[in-house]
Structures are given as structure tokens and as C-alpha cells.
Amino acid sequence: MIDRVFILLVLLCLPLSSHSSPWYEQLEGSLKQALSTQLVHMAQKMGVTDYRYSIDLNYLDSRLNLTPCQIPLNIESPQPLELGRSHIKVACQDTTPWALNVPTDVNLFTQVVVLNQPISKDQIISEDQLNLQRQNLAELRNGYYLKKDQVIGKQSKRALAGQTVLN
């Protein structure tokens, strides 16, 4: 009985999408390459030089058994690329065509301006109250500043805690 419970627990801990098939490797490689190019372009457009990014493919049904595409995959990502969770359409227009909506998480990490101490309402913000801290821009829905000089001299509209990302 204990052996059965142990085996069940091991099976439950296995990843749901443990693909190592040629079509999955092709899909993953093509998708990450296309999105990487867009992320680098996005960072350049923002004027960011110190950044890193991650592209994660979420659950794909392990029962899928597609044939590898003999021609480059067609990837339709949102224009402009959106950070966070989205679905990217990937299609093979080969002799055995197929298409998938692939759930992805696209993250861009860079330095943003944060407070290093609490400030009160109507306080003028000075440089000694600011730090730069690496954050995932996909999680900063209310905005952010990338440079301290964009914030210095501005007046706070409300009291803010330390380590707050300014927006």
C-alpha cells in the first residue's frame, strides 16, 4: 500500500508537459528566437541596456503528437509584444499542417526607480531618497520610471512606503 502511495506521489510531482519530441523542440526554439528578437528591440526602444529576459512556455498537452515542420514555423505574436502572460499562435504550413495557441509568460527584468525610505504626502522627492532596483516589468501594471532624474524634484501625491516602485 505504501509503495502505491509513493508511486502516485511521484507521478503527481512530474511536470505536466515534459516534451522532448522533435516538434516540441522546434516549436520552443522558433518561438523563443522570435520573441527574443522582439524583446531586445523593445529594450532598445526603451533605452534600457542592463536587462535580462525570460520566455516560458506554459502547459501544452503531453498527448500532442505533431509532426516536425519542414519549413519555418509561422509565429503570430501581438504587435507590439506584450509583457506577461499571453497566447502566441504558432502554425506549420507544411504538407501536414497544424496550429497551436501556445500560452507563454514573457518577462523583462531591469532597474526601476524605487524609494529607499518612506515619504509623506506633498513631499518633494530628492535623489538621496531614491534607489534603482531590478524588477520584472511584466508585474508593474501601474507604470514605472527607469531613471532617477525623471523623479527628482517631483512632489508626492500621497504618503508612500519605502521600497515602493514609483509610477
Side-chain angles (χ1 to χ4, degrees), residues 1-163:
M1 179 67 179
I2 292 175
D3 291 336
R4 290 180 186 167
V5 171
F6 178 73
I7 292 171
L8 179 62
L9 287 174
V10 168
L11 290 175
L12 290 174
C13 292
L14 292 175
L16 292 175
S17 59
S18 58
H19 294 288
S20 62
S21 60
W23 71 266
Y24 182 80
E25 290 173 8
Q26 179 186 32
L27 178 138
E28 182 180 39
S30 297
L31 187 59
K32 286 187 174 185
Q33 180 181 2
L35 295 179
S36 293
T37 301
Q38 290 182 33
L39 278 168
V40 168
H41 180 69
M42 175 189 285
Q44 289 172 344
K45 212 172 166 182
M46 294 168 58
V48 175
T49 55
D50 178 25
Y51 64 91
R52 67 180 180 83
Y53 60 85
S54 68
I55 302 164
D56 299 315
L57 279 59
N58 291 321
Y59 176 75
L60 283 177
D61 193 332
S62 60
R63 295 172 293 181
L64 287 172
N65 188 18
L66 304 173
T67 57
C69 202
Q70 300 304 313
I71 59 176
L73 294 173
N74 183 23
I75 298 170
E76 295 178 27
S77 60
Q79 295 294 332
L81 181 64
E82 298 171 7
L83 296 176
R85 180 157 290 172
S86 64
H87 285 77
I88 310 293
K89 184 174 182 182
V90 179
C92 174
Q93 305 298 330
D94 204 359
T95 54
T96 310
W98 53 263
L100 291 173
N101 280 318
V102 181
T104 58
D105 282 318
V106 179
N107 300 297
L108 180 63
F109 301 87
T110 192
Q111 303 282 338
V112 297
V113 179
V114 297
L115 288 172
N116 61 19
Q117 58 187 288
I119 61 171
S120 58
K121 181 180 179 184
D122 297 328
Q123 186 173 346
I124 303 297
I125 300 172
S126 62
E127 183 173 7
D128 62 326
Q129 297 168 317
L130 303 174
N131 282 341
L132 293 174
Q133 187 179 79
R134 188 171 297 274
Q135 296 277 329
N136 181 359
L137 300 186
E139 295 175 356
L140 301 178
R141 300 287 180 207
N142 295 326
Y144 49 86
Y145 289 102
L146 296 172
K147 297 180 179 151
K148 290 181 183 180
D149 59 349
Q150 296 172 310
V151 179
I152 296 171
K154 296 201 183 269
Q155 186 175 7
S156 65
K157 293 182 179 180
R158 61 187 178 280
L160 297 168
Q163 303 305 313

